[in-house]
Amino acid sequence: MAGSRRRRQLKRQRERQQAAAAAAPAPAPVRLFNFHCFPPELLAEIHHRLAFLERLAFASVCGESGQLLRETPWLILPAENADRARVFSVADGESATVRTSDVAMRGPVAIGSSGGWLVTADDRGALRMTNPATGAHADLPAITTVPFIEPKPGGHWFCLDVRFGGQPPPPPAPGHSYDYPTARTFTVTAAQMRQVFYRKVVLSESPRPDSYAAMLIMERCIGAPAFATAEDGPDPSWRMARSPDAVEDAIHHDGRFLSITYTGRVEAWQRDAETGEFTSEEVAPRLAYEDMHLRRKYIAASMDGRLIAVLKHAGDFKSDDDHPYSRARGTRTRVSFKVQILDRVKGRWEEAADIGDTALFVGVNGSMCLSTREHQGIRPGCVYFTDDEVGAACLREANCQLRSYSYGEADDIELRDVGVYNLKAGSVETIRALGKHQLWPPPAWFTPSFL
């Protein structure tokens, strides 16, 4: 009896709640603000006053309404769990761990960053573009569309039959061996593609999965770049292009790809609308530089459109704190940078010890030159850098040597870590707020974008 009475009471209670809900007035519709009506200066001021994660949410709403708010570059770093990543805001000096729902962000290595999009390579050699801020992602053309790459059964191996020919690998340092394959035909595992084949992928400005152009820069022993565009239709492929001097770095600027070769030639690339093929022409005097300790050359564009060459040097030197317990008997690898700017009037490159109120960001990203007045929180006259020697990082990871050192071997943490090089002082400064972090996969710069 008691159970039946309780059920009747509950039934009458539900009926009263349903009747009350039916009689209540309908809720007022949510009114969405149209940010088009707000002046950009007001949006920028609101944006500046928010905490860095709140800025992302605010910028995403503004992006949906057509307003683009500039963000200072962020770092994306590995987290302890594979399904998460750590993002660090240079401007705020703050970081947060975020869930990576995108498969392109779980485990793969970043080998490119342009226009707010990352390009990643997984352990099966697949390339994807992904937007860390929005979660949007898309596959780039299969690497097997490169004419000289033949997949082996199972997809775990690739046979590379190199016909284009690039520059020979640089001579090995004393006591070291080649990291490059020397034969023209060789077989590698899919995971080794990141070690011996991929150098960097540069995307066009403001890329989208259905509207992009991509330039694949391969390691020095390959030499020639490959291009792919969304204009190629539903089944795009990588098209090889000739560059006898081997492309070392590239950016997308003013509607076209610009590259610098291992010999210092600067080339501009154009796509033939009929054939889809890319060809280049030399657009600047050859860069003059010293080879001593030269590690990498980058190309960038200044705020006023002038071409910039950034030269990264790394050499082993005796440390000031030389003592018996030093990891490598006091020997450390020191990193330094030199900057040259093209003077088109004089027709030559000129070294610049001071780059004024600008800062440079180099790494696996498309090299950037930013105004420190428009992007608060970054230091003027500095080069922000990350480890972009992905092949060497892959080799260290395979050998479980991320933080181990052999007795008598140089401490190269400055080369492998994130740093800020002060051009005037000639020294590397750390980003203290970044704290300790993992070095695999190597960190990458990216600029959050919601458009």
Side-chain angles (χ1 to χ4, degrees):
M1 287 293 290
S4 299
R5 187 181 302 112
R6 178 60 178 167
R7 285 193 293 272
R8 288 195 297 272
Q9 290 175 348
L10 292 175
K11 182 179 179 181
R12 287 194 294 271
Q13 184 180 357
R14 287 195 298 269
E15 290 173 349
R16 286 195 296 268
Q17 290 174 346
Q18 291 173 357
V30 178
R31 186 176 180 182
L32 299 178
F33 286 100
N34 183 358
F35 284 91
H36 281 294
C37 62
F38 290 96
E41 296 79 8
L42 177 58
L43 292 176
E45 182 64 23
I46 297 173
H47 183 255
H48 174 66
R49 291 175 180 270
L50 297 174
F52 84 108
L53 286 180
E54 293 172 344
R55 287 207 313 273
L56 284 184
F58 180 71
S60 67
V61 176
C62 292
E64 290 174 357
S65 58
Q67 297 282 0
L68 177 61
L69 297 177
R70 296 179 178 179
E71 269 286 349
T72 300
W74 288 31
L75 271 175
I76 187 160
L77 308 102
E80 294 183 1
N81 298 327
D83 63 341
R84 295 182 180 273
R86 182 184 173 198
V87 292
F88 175 80
S89 168
V90 177
D92 300 271
E94 298 183 31
S95 63
T97 301
V98 297
R99 184 177 296 276
T100 54
S101 58
D102 177 11
V103 67
M105 295 299 298
R106 294 187 180 181
V109 178
I111 60 169
S113 173
S114 308
W117 290 73
L118 290 175
V119 176
T120 62
D122 66 16
D123 58 4
R124 295 180 66 88
L127 299 176
R128 295 182 177 90
M129 54 186 290
T130 178
N131 186 323
T134 66
H137 59 91
D139 292 340
L140 289 175
I143 196 61
T144 52
T145 61
V146 171
F148 58 80
I149 296 182
E150 178 185 350
K152 294 297 183 181
H156 297 284
W157 295 81
F158 294 103
C159 179
L160 279 63
D161 185 8
V162 182
R163 301 297 183 186
F164 285 79
Q167 288 287 302
H176 292 72
S177 60
Y178 277 120
D179 290 328
Y180 302 91
T182 56
R184 283 304 181 191
T185 300
F186 48 92
T187 301
V188 297
T189 67
Q192 287 176 328
M193 294 291 284
R194 301 182 298 196
Q195 179 181 327
V196 300
F197 189 73
Y198 299 140
R199 156 81 182 105
K200 178 186 285 192
V201 175
V202 181
L203 296 175
S204 54
E205 296 169 323
S206 302
R208 299 286 186 282
D210 59 350
S211 176
Y212 71 88
M215 180 180 186
L216 170 60
I217 303 174
M218 305 175 203
E219 281 294 354
R220 184 171 184 170
C221 61
I222 308 298
F227 294 87
T229 69
E231 297 179 28
D232 291 338
D235 297 313
S237 61
W238 292 105
R239 296 172 178 264
M240 297 299 301
R242 296 189 177 276
S243 178
D245 289 354
V247 172
E248 183 171 9
D249 191 52
I251 58 172
H252 193 270
H253 173 69
D254 199 20
R256 59 181 179 173
F257 289 103
L258 298 172
S259 64
I260 189 167
T261 69
Y262 284 93
T263 60
R265 295 181 184 272
V266 177
E267 300 171 317
W269 296 85
Q270 297 289 347
R271 179 178 183 271
D272 188 295
E274 294 184 1
T275 65
E277 302 292 336
F278 278 80
T279 56
S280 68
E281 62 174 340
E282 200 166 343
V283 292
R286 182 178 293 198
L287 186 70
Y289 54 89
E290 297 181 1
D291 284 332
M292 180 65 70
H293 303 307
L294 181 63
R295 197 82 180 199
R296 184 73 73 195
K297 296 190 295 294
Y298 305 92
I299 186 170
S302 67
M303 303 301 297
D304 58 5
R306 291 179 296 168
L307 293 182
I308 299 176
V310 184
L311 284 70
K312 179 181 183 180
H313 298 263
D316 295 342
F317 301 94
K318 286 291 183 180
S319 175
D320 295 335
D321 55 347
D322 191 5
H323 55 79
Y325 300 102
S326 178
R327 282 175 176 166
R329 299 179 180 176
T331 303
R332 293 189 177 181
T333 301
R334 297 296 188 186
V335 175
S336 63
F337 287 86
K338 290 184 178 180
V339 174
Q340 295 190 36
I341 301 177
L342 178 61
D343 187 327
R344 291 199 175 276
V345 176
K346 297 180 181 179
R348 67 188 184 198
W349 294 91
E350 295 190 340
E351 187 169 334
D354 182 8
I355 56 175
D357 295 328
T358 59
L360 291 158
F361 287 77
V362 298
V364 297
N365 57 288
S367 304
M368 297 176 286
C369 179
L370 302 178
S371 167
T372 55
R373 294 181 179 179
E374 297 180 6
H375 298 81
Q376 298 184 2
I378 57 177
R379 310 171 198 174
C382 292
V383 179
Y384 287 72
F385 65 94
T386 61
D387 179 13
D388 66 340
E389 298 181 14
V390 176
C394 290
L395 192 60
R396 285 194 300 269
E397 168 67 8
N399 295 334
C400 300
Q401 293 179 346
L402 279 182
R403 288 193 177 275
S404 62
Y405 299 87
S406 301
Y407 187 66
E409 182 180 316
D411 181 348
D412 62 350
I413 192 66
E414 188 171 283
L415 178 66
R416 293 159 45 195
D417 208 350
V418 179
V420 183
Y421 184 78
N422 189 311
L423 288 168
K424 283 187 177 181
S427 60
V428 172
E429 304 167 6
T430 60
I431 304 177
R432 295 188 179 276
L434 186 58
K436 292 183 178 180
H437 57 275
Q438 298 184 53
L439 298 179
W440 175 261
W445 301 113
F446 80 100
T447 304
S449 172
F450 299 88
L451 298 179

